[in-house]
Amino acid sequence: MVYFSSVTRNTDRFIAKLPVRSIRLPLRTSEPPPRIEEPFVLAVPSYGRPGGAGSVPPQVVKFLNDAPSRAHLKGVIGAGNTNFGPLFCVAAEKVAAKCQVPLLYKFELMGTDEDVEKVTQGLEEFWPAFTKPRE
């Protein structure tokens, strides 16, 4: 799991509840993003701006602009705030559409226990298609 979390750490708190290996994208755009060389799911929060412009954090854009890392993206999970109405989790929708991968799940703020259970179960079902036993 690769994810971005702002200084509020809402997404970070959610990811910490999942039984997965994870890598947090740097908080500052001046820091280099990691290079990912294995299949991953991206968790991305949305930011509320009129019409959804600028909803994808620039740190996520910078990370996804690295084609070798982007090639391993297999799905997206969205974090957001239902106060955004129809723009709830719009960043995840945009990333999924642009990268042509499935939008796997949406949760609000730092998620609920039910969200954690659903994402954990969903990832357990999703990953076997992209992983192979080590020889």
Side-chain angles (χ1 to χ4, degrees):
M1 178 76 59
V2 175
Y3 69 99
F4 176 72
S5 187
S6 69
V7 294
T8 65
R9 297 190 57 231
N10 285 335
T11 306
D12 186 51
R13 288 183 187 98
F14 180 78
I15 299 300
K17 297 175 192 174
L18 299 175
V20 298
R21 289 183 302 123
S22 63
I23 297 173
R24 183 178 179 181
L25 296 176
L27 190 56
R28 293 175 179 79
T29 55
S30 60
E31 297 176 43
R35 168 70 54 92
I36 305 299
E37 297 178 342
E38 61 184 303
F40 71 94
V41 169
L42 177 68
V44 59
S46 293
Y47 293 104
R49 296 215 173 97
S55 58
V56 180
Q59 297 87 336
V60 173
V61 172
K62 183 177 179 179
F63 169 69
L64 291 174
N65 280 338
D66 179 57
S69 289
R70 186 179 62 244
H72 296 289
L73 175 63
K74 301 302 178 191
V76 182
I77 294 173
N81 188 322
T82 55
N83 288 341
F84 295 167
L87 296 178
F88 174 65
C89 293
V90 69
E93 292 172 359
K94 287 181 175 187
V95 169
K98 181 136 181 129
C99 296
Q100 299 180 330
V101 297
L103 175 55
L104 302 171
Y105 195 78
K106 296 178 181 180
F107 67 92
E108 185 173 23
L109 300 173
M110 63 190 87
T112 64
D113 290 341
E114 182 180 356
D115 292 326
V116 171
E117 288 176 28
K118 287 182 177 181
V119 170
T120 298
Q121 180 180 358
L123 289 174
E124 287 172 357
E125 294 169 6
F126 184 72
W127 279 120
F130 302 105
T131 59
K132 60 183 179 183
R134 293 186 182 195
E135 297 176 10

